[in-house]
Amino acid sequence: MTDSILSAERFAERDFSIGHVFNQTFSVLSRNLLPFCLVSLVAHLPNALTFAPRMGAVAQGTANASLLLVFGGLGTTVLATISQAAVLSGAFDDMRGRPVDIFESLKVGLRRFFPLLGTTICVIILYALAFIALVVPGLIVLTMLFVAIPACVVERLGPIKSMGRSARLTKGHRWKIFGLLSATTIVGLVLQFTLGGVGRTIGGPTLGIIVLVLWSAVWGAFNAILGIVAYHDLRVAKEGVDTDQIAAVFD
């Protein structure tokens, strides 16, 4: 334990590092690619409904297309709430050098389902209101609330306290977080449009939808781990705690 604490103190001296967040995210995902992506895939299956109009399977601008967007979005939001918590728990096990038990991780997601869903809805509403007002406030809210979901799960907080906790943790590091989010968002969008276009060209709308759903699963797992690692590193940098102390809630 002493070695872990000293390691945390050394990291705190280096401050919050975007490079470390990326490296740790890729490492955790690569070691657990299959279980994390399978959980994420189930959560993103409803996205097939939202991709149908874009791929030309359903005419855009119609009542059917609108219904698919609504039901697909709601379904993904609900299921992703559980999968994100499961990936969070599994990622902490991996970072502690423990084997990942995806079924135990899913239990964590189910236990925190309603607080997580409430936090997710509140964050989405605040994002939307801020972006409607102006782009800049939207970006500020985006960075402030980046680790609200991990805070909700790990610290067992309600929606309002989770968002407040995220705002405190990200304070002083929001330009770095903005850079992190900008880079991943641009890369994600480029890959999504490219892969979707290639799939549609080769196999029509059906293959295009399948490719986009599979990509959503991988990208969803990556983003979940990214948020978890950022939360972990922010706490290490600002509070000097170690991984075992942060993840003790799961024991």
Side-chain angles (χ1 to χ4, degrees), residues 4 12 35 49 58 127 147 161 185 207 209 234:
S4 297
L49 301 178
V58 176
Y127 281 170
V147 295
K161 289 185 177 180
T185 299
L207 183 59
I209 292 170
L234 284 168

Side-chain angles (χ1 to χ4, degrees), residues 94-111:
D94 179 271
M95 287 190 284
R96 288 193 289 175
R98 299 184 178 186
V100 174
D101 186 333
I102 201 64
F103 294 105
E104 288 299 319
S105 297
L106 283 169
K107 290 179 183 179
V108 172
L110 290 171
R111 284 197 297 268

Side-chain angles (χ1 to χ4, degrees), residues 18-107:
I18 295 301
H20 184 269
V21 172
F22 272 123
N23 290 337
Q24 184 78 326
T25 298
F26 282 112
S27 295
V28 172
L29 181 59
S30 64
R31 289 192 294 266
N32 304 277
L33 186 63
L34 183 59
F36 285 171
C37 287
L38 283 177
V39 170
S40 184
L41 175 61
V42 173
H44 286 86
L45 285 176
N47 264 339
L49 301 178
T50 65
F51 293 141
R54 186 191 305 178
M55 290 292 103
V58 176
Q60 297 191 45
T62 63
N64 287 337
S66 299
L67 286 174
L68 290 177
L69 291 173
V70 170
F71 285 112
L74 289 175
T76 300
T77 299
V78 171
L79 292 177
T81 298
I82 301 172
S83 73
Q84 190 169 9
V87 173
L88 184 154
S89 175
F92 268 126
D93 281 337
D94 179 271
M95 287 190 284
R96 288 193 289 175
R98 299 184 178 186
V100 174
D101 186 333
I102 201 64
F103 294 105
E104 288 299 319
S105 297
L106 283 169
K107 290 179 183 179

Side-chain angles (χ1 to χ4, degrees), residues 137-220:
L139 295 175
I140 293 172
V141 172
L142 188 68
T143 57
M144 286 177 61
L145 303 183
F146 181 51
V147 295
I149 298 300
C152 177
V153 176
V154 176
E155 301 180 48
R156 297 177 178 176
L157 302 174
I160 304 301
K161 289 185 177 180
S162 296
M163 292 187 291
R165 177 64 165 150
S166 179
R168 291 190 295 273
L169 284 173
T170 56
K171 187 176 181 180
H173 300 289
R174 288 174 189 157
W175 276 112
K176 293 180 181 179
I177 293 171
F178 173 74
L180 176 72
L181 290 173
S182 298
T184 54
T185 299
I186 291 170
V187 171
L189 288 174
V190 169
L191 287 173
Q192 183 185 76
F193 282 109
T194 300
L195 292 172
V198 170
R200 183 181 179 182
T201 300
I202 295 173
T206 299
L207 183 59
I209 292 170
I210 292 173
V211 169
L212 285 179
V213 170
L214 292 174
W215 168 246
S216 294
V218 176
W219 196 242

